Amino acid sequence: MSPTQTPTPKRPRGQGQWALGHLEPLNPNERFKKDDDGLNVRKRIETIYSKRGFASIDPQDLRGRFRWWGLYTQRRPGIPGGKTAVLEPHELDDEYFMLRVRIDGGALSLEQLRTVAEISTTYARDTADVTDRQNIQLHWIRVEDVPVIWEKLEAVGLSTTEACGDVPRVILGSPVAGISAAEVLDPTWAIDEIQRRYIGSPEFSNLPRKFKSAISGLPDIVHEANDIAFVGVNHPEHGPGLDLWVGGGLSTNPKLAVRLGAWVPLEEAPEVWAGVVGIFRDYGYRRLRHRARLKFLVDDWGAEKFREVLESDEYLGRRLIDGPPPPPHVEPIDHVGIHEQKDGRFYIGVAPLVGRVSGSMLAKLADVVEAHGSGRLRTTPHQKLVILDVDGDQVQSLVTALDAIGLQARPSVFRRNTMACTGLEYCKLAIVETKQLAVDTVAELEQRLADLTAQVDVPISLHLNGCPNSCARIQVADIGLKGQIVKGEEGFQVHLGGGLGLDAGFGRKLRGLKVTAAELPDYVERVVRRFADQRTDGERFAQWVARADEEALQ
């Protein structure tokens, strides 16, 4: 090329957006999804793998398509966190599975609860965790037992369909939908209709990454952290409806969802939901997996363009109605405690410590709830359980009975506000152990900080995550802990002052602020005491962190 010639500009590299013609498989995940729909693996599990055993499973099914049916291989016991990023997948795999039971809206009947309990005790070594996505996770599942587990779950209206994978996962819903006097509307119909129409359908079974949904008549579903969320709002002209949010997600590149400024009537919510998922399917970035979540597309397009595409003939084909935002909430709404329903009965929210329960505990819970006249309960996005429809004369007796099986309706501030992900015990991505450390830390803090009950009259959330992926929402916790190796030991990078609602924003990270697991109770005690000493009247922890000097936060 001569010095006078202008170089030909390079064509921008495609991002794997189907709608723009970038259809070629661009990474291993996209290749296995193109080769065979993840939903199709169920037949192979039923007819081949469950009969021939773990060794017969094709690797692409094992570490890929199995997720479409709620199955992940567990971490092999004894592998330290420092080896997580070093070993190959087959070296980390145990020959047992985590199985995620999908519970849309968190709604459980006693029959369903007893079925999950029986599966846990029979097939899962009595394990069970209530997750912050309102699911229940079981461990130690053998592939040989999966078909009979599906049969039992589906007989009572539960499933594991698309509980994991690059699909629309469980839809979060208010634990008090239909019974709360404060909700703008009851969106249960929309959750059920989306599940009926779209879950398990090939229409949305190949998305660029996972897709998280939330629908509630109250701001109690952490809507800012979901790919799509509908939140109840009253329109001055049209009445009760739903405010539409898109593009939230945490993990290693956290972003809060943005409002589209659209008011959606309840009966249109399934169609609007499908429109947003369709945009993600068609325009989502498939080339680089770490940029494949909807939040990156929303961030690049902005709310105005996203709404414009949603309203185009390609999707909805009509304009949405402009609407107001929901009123901001100050504190997380976890529904723990004793609360009156709009029908005069009561619901009772209880706090299993960091969501850890067991099949035996769930069976006892079903018996206790039934003995006190209730027939249903719900899981929550805060790893809690809520018992509905309790007559007033049964409340105190039920609270006592629940406490006896380890489910407290009047928990300490730390038991109530501590969450933890699965951690090193079972998860192949984890670097540190979380669940037991959280349990031990809560016990320590309950003793050490008992004298501060009057001074600390606001919730202080403590979230522990075993890796950077933020399954326990560490960036939006008062004290968020991201697992890593510190001083050669298991430990955490500390995030302080994150929150949702009125304090929406990500926690403050200070240079070098890391603690080992052994140092954790000392550190939390130290910071909470400084907060108690320095706070002004009514000041929340996030507000104090924003103004505190670095020395106070060390």
Side-chain angles (χ1 to χ4, degrees):
M1 183 172 67
S2 71
T4 59
Q5 287 181 302
T6 304
T8 304
K10 283 189 175 182
R11 184 179 179 185
R13 191 170 187 182
Q15 296 300 313
Q17 296 166 282
W18 286 358
L20 301 182
H22 306 148
L23 302 179
E24 289 301 312
L26 296 165
N27 62 52
N29 294 81
E30 290 302 312
R31 281 197 293 274
F32 83 66
K33 288 188 290 183
K34 183 180 180 182
D35 291 344
D36 189 33
D37 192 309
L39 293 172
N40 293 337
V41 80
R42 174 163 178 158
K43 185 174 182 180
R44 292 192 288 277
I45 292 172
E46 291 174 326
T47 60
I48 302 172
Y49 303 144
S50 65
K51 300 182 185 306
R52 299 182 185 175
F54 186 89
S56 69
I57 304 172
D58 180 276
Q60 283 198 342
D61 285 345
L62 180 66
R63 300 181 192 97
R65 302 182 189 95
F66 267 47
R67 290 177 286 161
W68 271 242
W69 291 94
L71 290 157
Y72 280 103
T73 48
Q74 287 184 184
R75 185 187 194 91
R76 186 173 296 170
I79 300 175
K83 295 287 188 181
T84 296
V86 176
L87 298 179
E88 294 295 322
H90 69 274
E91 296 176 293
L92 287 167
D93 286 334
D94 199 358
E95 294 191 0
Y96 295 93
F97 294 88
M98 179 273 286
L99 179 68
R100 185 174 292 161
V101 181
R102 180 182 182 128
I103 307 173
D104 290 271
L108 282 170
S109 67
L110 290 189
E111 182 184 29
Q112 290 172 330
L113 181 65
R114 285 197 170 99
T115 297
V116 173
E118 188 265 327
I119 291 170
S120 169
T121 54
T122 305
Y123 304 104
R125 301 189 187 180
D126 205 25
T127 59
D129 288 327
V130 180
T131 77
D132 59 11
R133 296 295 304 175
Q134 294 183 282
N135 297 308
I136 294 179
Q137 289 183 178
L138 309 174
H139 295 281
W140 301 109
I141 299 294
R142 302 185 318 143
V143 71
E144 291 89 344
D145 297 324
V146 170
V148 70
I149 291 172
W150 281 337
E151 183 180 343
K152 289 175 180 293
L153 288 172
E154 291 165 6
V156 295
L158 292 174
S159 83
T160 68
T161 310
E162 297 185 335
C164 316
D166 296 351
V167 290
R169 300 194 183 182
V170 67
I171 304 168
L172 296 187
S174 174
V176 295
I179 65 169
S180 170
E183 69 179 353
V184 174
L185 78 177
D186 177 3
T188 302
W189 172 85
I191 294 174
D192 292 344
E193 189 66 6
I194 290 168
Q195 188 179 23
R196 185 187 69 81
R197 289 190 206 176
Y198 303 115
I199 303 308
S201 165
E203 183 177 1
F204 297 130
S205 62
N206 181 356
L207 302 179
R209 280 294 300 274
K210 59 188 173 185
F211 187 86
K212 296 182 176 181
S213 308
I215 307 176
S216 178
L218 290 165
D220 61 350
I221 36 105
V222 292
H223 57 274
E224 302 99 325
N226 283 270
D227 294 282
I228 186 172
F230 297 87
V231 186
V233 66
N234 275 305
H235 193 286
E237 297 176 20
H238 302 283
L242 296 161
D243 189 44
L244 178 58
W245 298 62
V246 297
L250 300 178
S251 191
T252 54
N253 198 325
K255 297 181 187 297
L256 295 179
V258 297
R259 291 186 62 241
L260 295 190
W263 177 88
V264 180
L266 180 63
E267 62 271 16
E268 294 181 13
E271 183 185 4
V272 173
W273 179 91
V276 172
V277 184
I279 291 173
F280 181 43
R281 176 196 60 205
D282 301 338
Y283 288 95
Y285 302 147
R286 293 175 182 261
R287 183 172 72 85
L288 299 175
R289 191 154 176 84
H290 69 271
R291 276 184 52 83
R293 289 290 298 275
L294 180 65
K295 62 186 177 183
F296 294 103
L297 181 66
V298 172
D299 196 45
D300 288 345
W301 278 8
E304 185 176 348
K305 179 178 178 180
F306 194 96
R307 179 170 170 177
E308 181 182 317
V309 174
L310 177 62
E311 294 172 335
S312 72
D313 290 341
E314 197 174 356
Y315 297 100
L316 294 181
R318 68 176 186 279
R319 290 276 299 168
L320 294 169
I321 298 170
D322 292 339
H329 60 285
V330 176
E331 298 174 0
I333 305 171
D334 64 7
H335 302 295
V336 171
I338 302 164
H339 307 270
E340 188 170 0
Q341 300 179 178
K342 62 184 179 184
D343 64 2
R345 292 183 292 179
F346 292 83
Y347 68 87
I348 300 171
V350 294
L353 193 42
V354 295
R356 176 131 293 177
V357 288
S358 65
S360 300
M361 178 187 283
L362 295 178
K364 292 175 184 174
L365 173 62
D367 291 342
V368 165
V369 168
E370 184 176 40
H372 288 81
S374 172
R376 58 184 181 142
L377 67 159
R378 287 176 180 157
T379 56
T380 87
H382 299 278
Q383 299 181 337
K384 308 296 188 290
L385 292 162
V386 179
I387 297 95
L388 311 184
D389 307 331
V390 182
D391 290 333
D393 61 356
Q394 295 290 314
V395 168
Q396 291 308 318
S397 173
L398 177 54
V399 167
T400 300
L402 291 167
D403 189 64
I405 61 173
L407 297 172
Q408 297 181 9
R410 300 183 180 97
S412 70
V413 65
F414 294 106
R415 183 184 181 108
R416 179 170 182 170
N417 296 293
T418 298
M419 295 202 312
C421 73
T422 300
L424 193 66
E425 184 178 10
Y426 298 118
C427 180
K428 295 182 297 180
L429 300 177
I431 302 167
V432 304
E433 197 278 328
T434 55
K435 288 284 189 184
Q436 190 57 49
L437 176 62
V439 170
D440 295 342
T441 300
V442 167
E444 285 274 338
L445 296 174
E446 285 175 337
Q447 288 188 339
R448 296 187 189 191
L449 296 172
D451 60 310
L452 291 185
T453 304
Q455 288 172 269
V456 182
D457 57 354
V458 293
I460 298 178
S461 55
L462 179 66
H463 294 188
L464 289 78
N465 216 81
C467 76
N469 287 321
S470 201
C471 295
R473 303 197 294 264
I474 53 173
Q475 295 99 332
V476 293
D478 289 310
I479 304 173
L481 300 160
K482 181 175 75 176
Q484 58 184 232
I485 301 301
V486 177
K487 303 174 189 176
E489 304 175 30
E490 291 186 17
F492 302 89
Q493 181 184 54
V494 180
H495 300 240
L496 291 172
L500 299 173
L502 202 59
D503 294 319
F506 302 128
R508 181 176 172 185
K509 288 190 292 184
L510 302 182
R511 186 187 301 272
L513 182 49
K514 300 175 182 179
V515 297
T516 66
E519 296 167 339
L520 183 59
D522 291 340
Y523 174 74
V524 177
E525 179 186 10
R526 187 164 65 244
V527 170
V528 172
R529 287 195 180 278
R530 286 175 183 159
F531 167 59
D533 290 341
Q534 298 177 15
R535 72 182 296 221
T536 59
D537 288 346
E539 189 173 34
R540 299 184 299 279
F541 188 84
Q543 294 174 309
W544 171 74
V545 167
R547 68 172 180 81
D549 58 44
E550 290 195 9
E551 186 178 350
L553 304 177
Q554 296 292 333

